[in-house]
Amino acid sequence: MDGEIACQSCDLLVNVAATRHGESASCPRCGCFLTKLHDDALHRVIAFSSIGLMFLAFASSYPFLSLSSSGVESAITLIQAPFALWSKGMPEVAVLVTAFIIAIPALVLMMMLTLCILITRGRYHSSLLPLAKGIFIGQKWSMVEVFLIAVIVAMVKIAAMATVTIGISFWAYGAFAICFTLAASSLDRYQCWQKIALLAIK
Amino acid sequence: MHVRKRDSIQRTLALLITASLLYIPANLYPVMYTDALGSNEASTIMGGVVLLINLGSAPVALVIFVFSVMVPSAKLMAMFYLVWTVQRHSPLDPRQRSTLYRVVEFIGKWSMVDIFVVTILVALVQLGGLLVILPGIAAVSFAAVVILTIIAAESFDARLIWDNMDEKNSVN
Ligand SMILES: [Zn+2]
């Protein structure tokens, strides 16, 4: 790796030339994480984001959780969950929840997939920069792991009142969350900018 | 060099004040209602924590207490503190303040846990006249607090912490 990085949290110029593969570099002044060199990062991102999208499609089409008490039953799919808030008079919260747990994470995976395929082709494309910007903003607003914890808390709360059964789509969503995390952590921000810059001057 | 965020302090402060005001109804009003066999019970965020303790699930109660009670208030205080020190050109250990900022940035979205719990309960618990759960108005204000504080942390330019440091304070 060559060149200097301006630390994004304190503007110190840090030389990262000595960083080797598998190592990560942090800012010596403020301690902020700078970059990590992965082997074969692009292919990892392509693999994890495409598998992740398949798991999400699977998770959206089967029952997520079901509940029964004294013979009465109710079941929900992943898409239905936020929709119930809409029909109970909270459309704005319903839209936000759908965005944070399904729409934005799915969009981020699609953008990561597109970006990495375009970069591996080795040609500059005008959509590379907006894609990369969109990915790093979208990652901040993806809350897949938070939602998984919420499901567990919700199950504990209901367990006292009725019997909860976990549907197959819950496990698919869990697998999607793992793929999302792995894909996102494989795409290093600085490496990404540098690859785009290299393609731009070629 | 990265481009600086414009009007960082004013924007962050405006968002923080709005979030603090919304934080009051978020805690005072019910976040959800439980309708069990005709009897209606309202519960606030803190009430949900107490309910979980009564159910015997102390670890889960702790998770909700940390993410829904401690994190949002600590986050607001930490952000006010950071804005205040930057405005006064405070010489207080910038590395520590940088770390504090990164913790705030990282932990922000975890406060959404309670909103997601309400979402799941409202959707799932619809057992006719037997048991029904409805969302409360505090869900809206609490979600707004979480989102506003995430945007506030985002609009705060962490490099301001380092702008007024003496030469001797920097490593290079
Ligand atoms: Zn730094």
Side-chain angles (χ1 to χ4, degrees), chain B residues 56-143:
Chain B
S57 350
V60 181
L62 188 69
V63 168
I64 291 296
F65 181 73
V66 169
F67 289 137
S68 307
V69 182
M70 274 173 64
V71 169
S73 36
K75 237 182 95 167
L76 283 172
M77 284 191 278
M79 285 304 301
F80 273 121
Y81 167 76
L82 287 174
V83 169
W84 184 63
T85 55
V86 163
Q87 246 178 346
R88 294 178 59 239
H89 308 300
S90 160
L92 284 165
D93 189 356
R95 200 183 161 104
Q96 252 175 31
R97 283 185 287 148
S98 261
T99 310
L100 177 68
Y101 173 71
R102 283 199 297 276
V103 172
V104 167
E105 217 186 5
F106 172 79
I107 213 154
K109 57 177 157 184
W110 283 94
S111 301
M112 279 301 278
V113 160
D114 225 23
I115 298 301
F116 294 157
V117 171
V118 172
T119 306
I120 297 163
L121 291 180
V122 167
L124 189 59
V125 187
Q126 299 296 334
L127 299 174
L130 213 60
L131 185 62
V132 174
I133 290 182
L134 294 167
I137 190 70
V140 181
S141 27
F142 192 79

Side-chain angles (χ1 to χ4, degrees), chain A:
Chain A
M1 187 169 18
D2 54 87
E4 287 185 319
I5 305 181
C7 170
Q8 58 168 340
S9 99
C10 75
D11 263 354
L12 179 73
L13 281 173
V14 186
N15 196 314
V16 288
T19 313
R20 305 199 183 289
H21 275 268
E23 284 179 354
S24 57
S26 301
C27 172
R29 186 162 73 168
C30 73
C32 181
F33 169 83
L34 293 173
T35 181
K36 183 173 197 289
L37 268 180
H38 296 279
D39 288 312
D40 212 21
L42 290 175
H43 291 105
R44 278 174 54 132
V45 178
I46 292 173
F48 286 130
S49 40
S50 42
I51 299 170
L53 282 169
M54 280 190 270
F55 273 122
L56 184 64
F58 192 77
S60 314
S61 23
Y62 291 92
F64 192 74
L65 288 172
S66 60
L67 181 73
S68 67
S69 174
S70 328
V72 192
E73 242 185 271
S74 80
I76 49 159
T77 62
L78 188 62
I79 310 284
Q80 275 171 345
F83 196 75
L85 280 180
W86 185 296
S87 58
K88 297 287 183 296
M90 290 193 181
E92 55 290 273
V93 185
V95 169
L96 286 173
V97 171
T98 314
F100 294 157
I101 68 169
I102 305 167
I104 295 177
L107 214 68
V108 167
L109 281 191
M110 284 183 224
M111 290 193 292
M112 286 202 283
L113 188 61
T114 317
L115 179 87
C116 290
I117 289 174
L118 285 175
I119 292 179
T120 47
R121 281 192 183 165
R123 267 198 313 265
Y124 182 75
H125 193 274
S126 59
S127 67
L128 287 177
L129 269 174
L131 273 174
K133 276 182 190 159
I135 289 166
F136 294 116
I137 294 169
Q139 280 181 359
K140 284 188 179 146
W141 295 98
S142 299
M143 306 189 182
V144 281
E145 69 281 50
V146 184
F147 184 64
L148 277 179
I149 299 292
V151 175
I152 296 165
V153 174
M155 287 197 299
V156 172
K157 276 194 167 178
I158 320 171
M161 304 181 268
T163 317
V164 199
T165 318
I166 295 174
I168 187 145
S169 129
F170 171 80
W171 302 110
Y173 191 84
F176 158 71
I178 293 169
C179 290
F180 182 89
T181 313
L182 288 171
S185 65
S186 302
L187 191 69
D188 185 87
R189 185 189 290 252
Y190 172 70
Q191 308 293 326
C192 191
W193 293 133
Q194 221 183 23
K195 280 185 182 117
I196 296 172
L198 273 174
L199 288 177
I201 54 169
K202 219 162 54 173

